[in-house]
Amino acid sequence: MSRPYSLNLQVTSVLSQLAAFPHPHLHEYLLDPYLSLAPGCRSLFSVLVRVIGELMQRLQRVPHARAKLLLVRRQLLGLVPGEQMDHSVLLKAVVVLEEFCKELAAIALVKGPPEGPA
């Protein structure tokens, strides 16, 4: 959340490539929200749920968060000139997370459920 935009992009890119890789264990671990894990272990889904919760709490403290988020998204798309604003690192992290979740959903849809024993 408080990492630079470029680092967030790199991490999500690597995770997306791993999720798209055709391996049943990677598919299960990265794309199955109902995966049973040993106590203390976390899945990508559980980490995303925690990060989203933290982001939502932090966004509630940002004045005019919706408008600023829209402006940051337009800046990242190159539609408006980039200007400095408060909370830009947080807002860019929200945009990266939103796009990453969309990408994971698309990968899960295309891959379908992992193939098990017939």
Side-chain angles (χ1 to χ4, degrees):
M1 287 185 302
S2 57
R3 303 277 189 262
Y5 175 70
S6 60
L7 181 61
N8 286 337
L9 281 180
Q10 291 170 356
V11 170
T12 57
S13 174
V14 168
L15 285 171
S16 294
Q17 289 176 18
L18 284 172
F21 191 77
H23 190 281
H25 296 301
L26 283 174
H27 177 95
E28 183 179 42
Y29 181 71
L30 294 173
L31 299 175
D32 184 358
Y34 303 110
L35 179 64
S36 296
L37 298 170
C41 293
R42 295 181 290 192
S43 66
L44 178 59
F45 178 76
S46 66
V47 170
L48 287 174
V49 167
R50 182 180 52 82
V51 168
I52 290 168
E54 289 176 18
L55 279 174
M56 294 299 290
Q57 287 179 348
R58 290 178 65 181
L59 277 176
Q60 289 176 353
R61 295 189 297 260
V62 175
H64 311 290
R66 240 187 171 99
K68 287 181 180 179
L69 191 55
L70 180 59
L71 178 59
V72 165
R73 183 177 294 279
R74 292 174 56 85
Q75 288 174 348
L76 291 172
L77 290 171
L79 300 175
V80 296
E83 59 185 57
Q84 280 301 100
M85 73 172 79
D86 293 337
H87 311 287
S88 66
V89 172
L90 174 66
L91 296 167
K92 288 177 182 177
V94 170
V95 171
V96 171
L97 182 61
E98 287 176 346
E99 296 303 318
F100 177 59
C101 288
K102 289 180 204 176
E103 190 165 346
L104 284 180
I107 291 168
L109 182 66
V110 168
K111 286 179 75 174
E115 293 184 27

